[in-house]
Amino acid sequence: TQSTWGIRFLTRFVMSQNYHGQIDLVTNQRHGQGTYVYNNRFFQYTGDWVQGVKHGQGLLMMKDGTTIEGNFVHGEITGFGIKRCPDGTTYTGDFVEGEFHGRGLLLCANGEKYDGEWADNKRQGSGELCYANGDIYIGQFKNHLPDGHGTKESVHGEKYVGGWRAGKNHGEGILTWSNGSSYNGYWTDDKKNGQGRYYQSVNGVSYDGIWIHDEPERVAELIRIPVENVEAGITVKVNHCLPPIEVHMQSQDGVTVVAESGRDIRISLVQITVTQPATDTQPEKRTIDRIGLLQQPLSIDADSIPSTVPSVSSVSSQLPLPFYVVQMKTQNGVANFAKYNFKVPGDVKPGAYWIEATDLTALPTSQLTPYYLKVNVMSEQEVPTKSSSKK
């Protein structure tokens, strides 16, 4: 006698080619405990039956070695169960009608592990995913992928905290690299997109502005010192300070890149001498001598150097004495020269010199070509002609 759902059934044990177990004497259906081998010989179920349907505790075995053990309801595993695959992959957790659904732990043969919520055999809701390579993601999932808010840390030391969509950085988030560099802002499909601040720990340079497809909207490409008359330059007497000027980091179209800060800019007073005029086949050669340096002039080759603003291809990496040079950090794309008391030494002879603005920023930021502004140095007795400068 078998009782199910409050109804009593008369059963007996039978043995046939496909089934060994109890049946209902009235309906002749599998009912109670029994083992059934399906006609396709691929499936075999051992456990509880109710009127020919798997119902209760049981073990479903497949010919490929896969097993599902747990609570079956109306023919499908529903509730807590364990699924084991022949490659060693194991799922332990909740099922609904044969699907991973609810809370569960999946241990994959390749080393990947997921502990969290499921829906229809997919990661859905909150959970922790340990990738096969050692990376770890903790957060929200949708359709099996990180989606919503989450944190991912890589074995290489990178860490991202923020929004996700379809497995990619999306929305607002912070990515920190192992070397200390970081980006804090908006993302679209793993690319920096929208307002964001990128900081390079290697050199202290930051860009706080708009990003488009992983690139800054506007990048610094040129050094410029805005004055009213570039050809005339500026005039200063010996033993006097140079007039207030600013050194601007600009894009190719001449716009100051205010989103960028942190470049190392060196300001020197130099003298440039033409050592070999340009020919049809050779560019003009010049030497540059930083005033007060105890070193040999550096030979420089330059292609098509304007007479008013020479473009020098290389400069000495040796820092001059502090009396003759200042080094500053840019702020909002500008190095404010007015903050420094840059005095022309008394032993400098009157004549034509240049203010050299050199980008000393360490890689990986691209270094900008040095910029030169003409300086007319006069003796203290001379009367300057009218010239002016502006920031």
Side-chain angles (χ1 to χ4, degrees):
T1 301
Q2 184 79 20
S3 176
T4 304
W5 301 320
I7 303 175
R8 301 184 67 84
F9 297 90
L10 295 176
T11 64
R12 67 184 177 88
F13 188 85
V14 298
M15 296 181 64
S16 65
Q17 182 178 0
N18 293 74
Y19 180 69
H20 296 176
Q22 294 174 296
I23 65 171
D24 184 336
L25 291 177
V26 177
T27 64
N28 207 35
Q29 296 286 336
R30 293 182 291 276
H31 193 89
Q33 291 282 325
T35 297
Y36 177 70
V37 179
Y38 288 74
N39 290 331
N40 60 16
R41 319 305 291 181
F42 186 81
F43 296 101
Q44 176 180 304
Y45 173 78
T46 300
D48 295 331
W49 297 85
V50 173
Q51 295 301 314
V53 178
K54 301 186 294 291
H55 193 91
Q57 291 295 311
L59 172 64
L60 179 65
M61 296 184 291
M62 305 173 199
K63 196 171 184 179
D64 65 359
T66 301
T67 64
I68 300 176
E69 183 178 7
N71 185 66
F72 287 78
V73 177
H74 303 308
E76 295 288 354
I77 185 168
T78 297
F80 181 80
I82 301 174
K83 180 177 181 179
R84 299 181 177 91
C85 300
D87 66 354
T89 298
T90 303
Y91 172 81
T92 304
D94 297 327
F95 289 81
V96 172
E97 296 185 352
E99 306 281 325
F100 302 162
H101 197 100
R103 188 83 188 183
L105 171 64
L106 179 67
L107 302 175
C108 299
N110 64 358
E112 186 173 281
K113 179 178 74 172
Y114 174 74
D115 187 1
E117 296 176 316
W118 297 80
D120 301 325
N121 267 356
K122 295 180 179 180
R123 295 185 287 262
Q124 184 90 4
S126 62
E128 177 177 333
L129 175 61
C130 300
Y131 295 86
N133 67 354
D135 295 350
I136 298 176
Y137 171 83
I138 301 175
Q140 299 295 311
F141 288 84
K142 183 179 179 181
N143 291 327
H144 214 55
L145 297 172
D147 198 295
H149 188 274
T151 299
K152 183 177 181 180
E153 296 186 58
S154 78
V155 293
H156 304 295
E158 295 180 5
K159 182 178 181 179
Y160 174 79
V161 180
W164 295 77
R165 186 178 72 178
K168 296 181 178 180
N169 302 352
H170 193 89
E172 190 171 4
I174 303 172
L175 176 61
T176 304
W177 285 267
S178 58
N179 64 0
S181 297
S182 64
Y183 173 79
N184 185 348
Y186 288 88
W187 302 78
T188 300
D189 295 334
D190 268 349
K191 296 185 182 296
K192 296 181 281 291
N193 207 60
Q195 181 68 36
R197 182 181 187 271
Y198 176 63
Y199 169 74
Q200 288 186 349
S201 63
V202 176
N203 51 33
V205 174
S206 65
Y207 179 88
D208 191 351
I210 299 298
W211 294 75
I212 301 174
H213 303 306
D214 225 30
E215 298 292 337
E217 180 184 39
R218 191 181 297 275
V219 296
E221 299 169 286
L222 306 170
I223 298 178
R224 288 293 181 265
I225 302 177
V227 295
E228 290 183 355
N229 191 329
V230 174
E231 184 175 355
I234 60 177
T235 300
V236 64
K237 292 183 177 183
V238 294
N239 284 320
H240 286 69
C241 293
L242 290 168
I245 58 174
E246 290 180 343
V247 184
H248 287 227
M249 310 301 108
Q250 297 184 347
S251 56
Q252 288 287 356
D253 55 2
V255 177
T256 299
V257 184
V258 296
E260 183 189 285
S261 294
R263 283 186 183 268
D264 283 312
I265 302 299
R266 183 179 66 193
I267 307 299
S268 305
L269 185 62
V270 304
Q271 190 172 38
I272 297 177
T273 305
V274 176
T275 58
Q276 180 180 310
T279 66
D280 293 337
T281 58
Q282 296 292 330
E284 183 180 77
K285 290 186 177 181
R286 301 184 177 196
T287 59
I288 180 171
D289 186 18
R290 293 188 181 87
I291 306 303
L293 284 183
L294 300 177
Q295 65 179 38
Q296 295 295 321
L298 178 67
S299 180
I300 298 167
D301 293 333
D303 297 320
S304 118
I305 302 176
S307 58
T308 55
V309 184
S311 174
V312 181
S313 59
S314 61
V315 296
S316 170
S317 61
Q318 179 180 346
L319 285 177
L321 298 174
F323 187 77
Y324 302 104
V325 67
V326 291
Q327 189 170 334
M328 61 194 77
K329 286 277 189 181
T330 57
Q331 181 66 33
N332 296 330
V334 175
N336 192 342
F337 187 79
K339 292 181 180 179
Y340 296 84
N341 184 23
F342 193 4
K343 187 177 182 180
V344 177
D347 57 355
V348 173
K349 296 180 180 180
Y353 296 86
W354 304 86
I355 290 178
E356 177 193 61
T358 307
D359 182 10
L360 300 181
T361 306
L363 297 176
T365 300
S366 59
Q367 291 181 319
L368 309 181
T369 303
Y371 182 79
Y372 294 85
L373 175 66
K374 188 176 181 181
V375 178
N376 303 298
V377 177
M378 303 174 58
S379 68
E380 292 191 272
Q381 292 74 32
E382 288 184 80
V383 178
T385 57
K386 186 178 179 181
S387 64
S388 60
S389 63
K390 66 178 182 179
K391 294 183 179 180

